[in-house]
């Protein structure tokens, strides 16, 4: 039997009650409307018949209406045209995708070729190639040094290449970030370096005003950008270059070279007075030669960073290598942080980070992670990410540390007295010294008590020639490009046939084996100095343990047991 629907009938008492409530509500609404004095909107009375030129006014009103309608129609047509264009473009893209999928292997080969081109821009060899272009094209080479560790920022291979190249090439040293070191220490370094090459004291602006900067200032009116946008020593350097171009009677090209994060692009922006080159905290932002015209007589050539040689100490590789901390192995980052802490005063590090006493760098990182709230699941300190942050602080402009110049002047073997005289020829050195003293006096310097004393590891060896570069593919993949490549590969893998999938699997296995080989080869590449062998032996042991733990799961995943899995 079918179920009957529930009746909608109400009892009379309930119905009358609802009607009463509605009447009361309407009464209440009317009363409130009276109190507010709500009036109906008046209709437009139009033009009175007695008004002069009534017909003309009516005509004008009609014409206005027609114009508005025409405008609306035009806008509608434009919108329709735009929609049609978009549809056509989408249709073309879809057709191209279908063609690529139909081609199969050919399309996958093309995509691999594209990724290889993108990777080539970020490779060590391309960096060396671009750096050599800058060195060959420039008349004056500016080697930028970090004032906190000037000796560690000097590259003997680059200096030798410039001094022994001939062709009247000049090399100037630019001591950047002078606001991060005490005044006495800066003066000592200027006196030490000027005996080998003409040296300019400089403080570059980290944030230059452009359209985006103006928008940020409008949004954040209270934020003070005075410290970051100030620069000192630009007039001195410009004057020096202009005087040299006059002696040569020609327009000169000035190449700016140095290790990563020393402020090469920031110096060019400071000289130009606006943002001409991209700058950032990440290492290796500049990937190719960039030409910036200062005036009729001087052209600035921005270059990629010098590649640090793998034979350098762990400290030099941590502070001077081009590899970004986000892309590099955690073992390398930890080893670099350990080397930095071993080369500093323990008490000063404790004072700076405001942490209690620690036995080793690992305990230092765990204490710092707990203090800053960088914890993993279960409240375990995130040591790896903390190490990356510490390394970013030391390579950036956050930490104020300084190193002492060597006790006695011993120039490198390629710098003879004749070469020093050649490099100083054509520059007004007395005027330069006066200008440097003025810039030092104008700046506010930190006190030695608030800075950390740092033991420099000496000059850092670099690879300039393209043939001597050893590529490490896994470290040189840019984060943005890798994401795009993965998306393209996923789309292609969905539509390819089974044969193509087999080929891709074979390629993936080869790539994994190459990555394992590079991982296993890494700890053995670095050579330790005899002075701090104990410290670096401990660091190497840690890196080996970490690399072993990284390699182990990959081997277990590859070893399939067909007897158990496919029974």
């Amino acid at each position: 039997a079918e179920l009957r629907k529930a009746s909608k009938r109400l009892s009379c008492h309930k119905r009358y009650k609802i009607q009463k409530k509605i009447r009361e509500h309407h009464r209440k609404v009317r009363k409130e409307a009276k109190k507010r004095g709500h009036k109906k909107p008046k209709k437009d009375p139009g033009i009175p018949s007695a008004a002069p030129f009534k017909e003309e006014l009516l005509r004008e009103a009609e014409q206005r209406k027609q114009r508005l309608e025409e405008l609306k129609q035009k806008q509608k047509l434009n919108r329709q045209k735009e929609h049609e264009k978009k549809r056509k473009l989408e249709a073309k893209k879809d057709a191209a995708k279908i063609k690529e999928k139909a081609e199969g292997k050919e399309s996958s080969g093309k995509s691999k070729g594209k990724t290889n081109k993108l990777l080539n821009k970020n490779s060590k060899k391309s960096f060396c190639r671009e750096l050599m272009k800058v060195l060959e094209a420039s008349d004056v080479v500016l080697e930028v040094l970090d004032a906190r560790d000037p000796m560690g920022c000097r590259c003997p291979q680059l200096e030798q290449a410039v001094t022994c190249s001939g062709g009247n090439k000049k090399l100037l040293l630019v001591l950047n970030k002078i606001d991060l070191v005490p005044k006495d220490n800066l003066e000592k370094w200027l006196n030490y370096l000027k005996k080998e090459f003409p040296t300019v004291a400089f403080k570059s602006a980290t944030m230059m005003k452009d359209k985006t900067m103006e928008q940020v200032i409008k949004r954040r009116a209270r934020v003070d950008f005075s410290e970051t946008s100030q620069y000192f020593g630009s007039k001195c350097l410009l004057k020096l270059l202009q005087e040299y171009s006059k002696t040569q009677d020609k327009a000169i090209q000035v190449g700016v070279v140095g290790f990563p994060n020393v402020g090469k692009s920031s110096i060019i922006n400071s000289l130009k007075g606006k943002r001409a080159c991209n700058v950032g905290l990440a290492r290796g932002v500049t990937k190719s030669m960039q030409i910036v015209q200062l005036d009729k007589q001087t052209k600035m050539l921005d270059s990629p960073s010098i590649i640090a040689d793998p034979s350098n100490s762990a400290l030099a590789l941590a502070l001077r290598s081009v590899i970004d901390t986000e892309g590099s192995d955690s073992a390398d980052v930890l080893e670099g942080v350990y080397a930095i802490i071993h080369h500093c005063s323990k008490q000063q590090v404790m004072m700076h980070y405001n942490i209690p006493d620690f036995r080793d760098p690992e305990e230092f990182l765990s204490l710092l992670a707990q203090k800053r709230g960088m914890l993993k699941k279960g409240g375990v300190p995130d040591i790896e990410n903390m190490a990356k942050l510490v390394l970013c602080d030391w390579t950036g402009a956050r930490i104020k540390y300084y190193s002492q110049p060597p006790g006695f002047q011993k120039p490198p073997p390629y710098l003879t007295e004749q070469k020093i005289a050649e490099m100083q020829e054509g520059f007004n050195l007395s005027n330069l010294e006066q200008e440097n003293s003025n810039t030092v006096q104008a700046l506010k310097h930190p006190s030695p008590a608030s800075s950390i004393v740092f033991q420099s590891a000496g000059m850092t060896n670099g690879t300039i020639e393209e043939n001597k570069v050893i590529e490490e593919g896994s470290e040189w993949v840019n984060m943005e490009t890798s994401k795009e490549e993965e998306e393209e590969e996923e789309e292609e893998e969905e539509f390819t046939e089974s044969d193509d999938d087999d080929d891709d699997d074979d390629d993936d296995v080869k790539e994994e084996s190459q990555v394992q080989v590079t991982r296993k080869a890494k700890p053995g590449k670095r050579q330790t100095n005899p002075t701090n062998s104990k410290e670096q032996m401990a660091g190497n042991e840690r890196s080996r343990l970490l690399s072993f733990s990284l390699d182990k799961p990959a081997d277990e995943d590859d070893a399939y047991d067909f007897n158990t899995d496919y029974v």
Side-chain angles (χ1 to χ4, degrees), residues 244-310:
Y244 181 72
S245 68
K246 281 176 185 175
T247 56
Q248 297 296 305
D249 291 328
K250 63 167 187 175
I252 56 164
Q253 291 188 332
V254 183
V256 185
V257 296
F259 283 104
N261 279 103
V262 290
K264 299 181 290 298
S265 300
S266 299
I267 284 170
I268 294 170
N269 290 342
S270 302
L271 291 169
K272 184 74 176 170
K274 65 178 183 180
R275 191 173 176 177
C277 302
N278 286 330
V279 291
L281 290 170
R283 307 188 191 188
V285 174
T286 309
K287 290 176 175 63
S288 59
M289 183 173 79
Q290 293 179 14
I291 301 164
V292 178
Q293 188 86 38
L294 284 185
D295 51 41
K296 288 179 182 178
Q297 296 298 314
T298 46
K299 262 186 197 175
M300 301 300 290
L301 308 177
D302 195 9
S303 69
S305 305
I306 302 165
I307 307 296
D309 198 78

Side-chain angles (χ1 to χ4, degrees), residues 27-39:
R27 201 181 299 125
K28 195 178 178 182
V29 168
R30 281 197 299 274
K31 271 186 180 180
E32 283 174 1
K34 271 185 184 179
K35 280 177 187 176
R36 276 189 270 114
H38 181 71
K39 293 176 182 178

Side-chain angles (χ1 to χ4, degrees), residues 37-98:
H38 181 71
K39 293 176 182 178
K40 289 180 181 179
K42 287 182 179 179
K43 286 183 180 179
D44 184 22
I47 300 158
S49 55
F53 313 111
K54 184 184 174 181
E55 289 177 6
E56 287 176 14
L57 291 167
L58 286 167
R59 236 179 276 127
E60 280 176 11
E62 278 176 17
Q63 283 172 2
R64 250 183 256 123
K65 275 184 184 178
Q66 281 177 358
R67 278 181 213 141
L68 284 167
E69 282 174 9
E70 283 172 8
L71 269 170
K72 281 178 184 176
Q73 283 179 351
K74 277 181 183 177
Q75 286 171 355
K76 204 175 183 180
L77 284 165
N78 287 332
R79 270 188 239 117
Q80 284 175 355
K81 282 177 183 176
E82 281 175 10
H83 284 306
E84 281 174 13
K85 279 181 184 177
K86 281 179 184 176
R87 279 175 204 150
K88 283 176 183 177
L89 281 167
E90 282 171 10
K92 280 180 183 178
K93 282 178 185 176
D94 291 335
K97 278 181 185 177
I98 291 158

Side-chain angles (χ1 to χ4, degrees), residues 311-313 343 457 527-537:
S311 63
N312 286 306
S313 63
H343 282 75
Q527 295 173 6
T528 53
N529 286 340
T531 51
N532 37 348
S533 59
K534 287 180 184 177
E535 295 164 1
Q536 291 189 6
M537 280 287 281

